[in-house]
């Protein structure tokens, strides 16, 4: 049976980007808040507690929204929210510091984008796979998504130290990744569909005409295409 390689690849890449953004957020938020705003540990703990509540509410909201909104719409929404949130977390060239309100707004957007993207991508991925060993492919996706949680913290802290704890480099990369995956998803939106739809399109594409031949009418110099037939040559009756 045909396999939707493009749909699978796009889903895995999108899952990876969401997990990278989440890994960066959960890793550098504590030192970033302490260095930039001189927060106490209690304040950071309250921030993450609110983030957990927000993530839980978002997860339940996604379950309700999927009844009325198409999965691909929610998928694109999660990408855009992550992009805007990452942009809010960037230092501006004309601003010496990152204002606390922008830090909170960007943190909240990234917090919301992750559960939307994770839940929707998992649902789309299962539909895209179709009648294969889905457990094996789910294992591949989870294993790949674990990679950014392993290397993401080291990359994020290294980038922050390079620019002396300015956030434009790290979150600029996050925004760039969200922008890139947005373009990829929009370019391949027809690939991330249920397997049945993909199979129907595949059959339509493979059941086209096997041969296209040209039939020429002896009374007219204009050829006419005949699809799926052999050329027919009409014999002239002998004149009386």
């Amino acid at each position: 049976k045909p396999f939707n390689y493009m749909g699978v690849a796009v889903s895995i890449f999108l899952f990876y980007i969401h997990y990278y953004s989440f890994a960066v957020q959960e890793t550098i938020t504590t030192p970033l808040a302490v260095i930039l705003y001189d927060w106490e540990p209690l304040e950071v703990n309250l921030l993450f507690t609110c983030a957990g509540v927000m993530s839980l509410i978002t997860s339940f909201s996604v379950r309700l929204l999927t009844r009325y909104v198409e999965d691909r719409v929610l998928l694109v929404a999660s990408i855009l929210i992550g992009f805007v949130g990452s942009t809010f977390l960037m230092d501006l060239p004309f601003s010496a510091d990152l204002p606390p309100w922008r830090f909170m707004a960007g943190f909240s957007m990234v917090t919301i984008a992750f559960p939307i993207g994770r839940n929707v991508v998992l649902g789309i991925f299962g539909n895209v796979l179709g009648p294969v060993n889905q457990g094996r492919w789910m294992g591949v996706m989870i294993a790949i998504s674990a990679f950014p949680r392993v290397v993401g913290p080291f990359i994020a802290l290294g980038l922050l130290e390079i620019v002396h704890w300015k956030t434009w480099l790290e979150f600029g990369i996050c925004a760039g990744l969200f922008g890139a995956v947005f373009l990829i998803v929009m370019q391949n939106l027809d690939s991330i569909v249920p397997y049945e739809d993909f199979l129907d399109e595949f059959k339509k594409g493979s059941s086209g005409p096997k041969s296209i031949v040209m039939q020429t009418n002896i009374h007219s110099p204009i050829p006419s295409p005949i699809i799926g037939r052999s050329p027919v040559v009409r014999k002239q009756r002998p004149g009386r």
Side-chain angles (χ1 to χ4, degrees):
K1 291 184 178 181
F3 187 74
N4 189 354
Y5 288 100
M6 182 57 69
V8 169
V10 171
S11 300
I12 291 177
F13 181 61
L14 179 55
F15 204 65
Y16 177 91
I17 298 304
H18 271 296
Y19 261 92
Y20 177 79
S21 175
F22 175 73
V24 169
Q25 182 199 41
E26 71 175 358
T27 301
I28 68 174
T29 295
T30 298
L32 196 63
V34 171
I35 292 175
L36 295 182
Y37 310 115
D38 197 23
W39 281 13
E40 298 293 332
L42 178 61
E43 294 174 302
V44 178
N45 290 336
L46 289 175
L47 177 65
F48 277 105
T49 301
C50 294
V53 174
M54 191 182 305
S55 179
L56 185 63
I57 294 174
T58 304
S59 297
F60 280 109
S61 300
V62 169
R63 294 186 60 182
L64 297 175
L65 286 174
T66 51
R67 300 177 183 178
Y68 309 100
V69 183
E70 187 183 355
D71 287 346
R72 291 182 296 179
V73 175
L74 293 175
L75 186 67
V76 173
S78 71
I79 299 172
L80 294 178
I81 294 172
F83 173 79
V84 175
S86 299
T87 304
F88 267 61
L89 289 169
M90 293 170 54
D91 292 318
L92 296 177
F94 51 81
S95 177
D97 299 314
L98 179 66
W101 70 268
R102 282 184 51 206
F103 173 77
M104 296 295 294
F107 181 87
S108 301
M109 290 182 189
V110 174
T111 300
I112 293 173
F114 176 68
I116 297 176
R118 177 192 58 194
N119 295 346
V120 174
V121 171
L122 285 174
I124 290 178
F125 190 61
N127 293 330
V128 168
L129 286 174
V132 296
N133 189 339
Q134 294 202 1
R136 180 182 302 170
W137 280 100
M138 286 292 180
V140 171
M141 172 177 272
I142 298 300
I144 293 176
S145 67
F147 183 72
R149 302 196 71 177
V150 175
V151 300
F154 298 99
I155 295 175
L157 289 174
L159 293 175
L160 285 173
E161 291 177 350
I162 289 175
V163 293
H164 306 290
W165 290 91
K166 295 293 183 179
T167 61
W168 62 267
L169 180 58
E170 172 55 41
F171 289 108
I173 292 175
C174 290
L177 290 173
F178 276 116
V181 78
F182 173 77
L183 295 178
I184 292 173
V185 168
M186 296 306 295
Q187 184 69 26
N188 300 278
L189 201 60
D190 294 336
S191 298
I192 47 178
V193 294
Y195 183 79
E196 293 77 12
D197 296 342
F198 165 77
L199 189 60
D200 290 341
E201 291 297 325
F202 181 85
K203 289 179 179 178
K204 290 178 182 178
S206 61
S207 62
K210 296 183 179 179
S211 62
I212 300 179
V213 296
M214 304 300 291
Q215 177 188 3
T216 303
N217 190 326
I218 59 175
H219 300 292
S220 173
I222 302 175
S224 59
I226 302 298
I227 301 177
R229 295 183 187 177
S230 298
V232 178
V233 179
R234 296 182 178 178
K235 294 182 180 180
Q236 285 184 323
R237 295 183 181 181
R240 294 181 180 178

